[in-house]
Amino acid sequence: MVRGDSTIKIYRRLGKKRYLNGKHVYEHERIHVSIPSKLHEKIKPFLNQPLKIEVANQNDRLVITLHPVKTFRHAE
């Protein structure tokens, strides 16, 4: 690894929700990508904004691109 590079891990969590007084279980999968703390300053301007996500495989790499979504309430 090159000095200054950040590494992350993609986490998978299986959520379970019981219903009908515990007779049945609804399961759903969640994928979580953590952001290293040294990148928080670059991400702060985008907090609490809707973001459009694009995920692609390119040359054995996972590319995740986030774009701010323009809304009609931009004048507020």
Side-chain angles (χ1 to χ4, degrees):
M1 179 168 57
V2 179
R3 186 177 213 166
D5 276 354
S6 297
T7 59
I8 64 166
K9 188 174 181 179
I10 299 175
Y11 297 96
R12 176 184 173 261
R13 191 185 103 204
L14 186 62
K16 296 180 181 179
K17 187 76 169 179
R18 296 192 173 275
Y19 63 97
L20 289 178
N21 296 325
K23 293 181 181 178
H24 299 284
V25 177
Y26 168 74
E27 294 181 349
H28 63 280
E29 183 181 49
R30 285 276 172 128
I31 303 293
H32 175 77
V33 178
S34 60
I35 305 294
S37 61
K38 61 183 175 181
L39 298 176
H40 284 187
E41 289 300 319
K42 293 181 180 181
I43 292 176
K44 281 185 181 179
F46 299 102
L47 291 176
N48 298 323
Q49 289 186 19
L51 300 171
K52 179 182 174 189
I53 185 169
E54 295 176 9
V55 180
N57 290 327
Q58 294 179 352
N59 301 328
D60 295 330
R61 294 180 183 213
L62 178 66
V63 179
I64 300 173
T65 308
L66 301 172
H67 299 281
V69 176
K70 294 181 181 178
T71 62
F72 295 108
R73 299 181 65 181
H74 65 275
E76 293 180 8

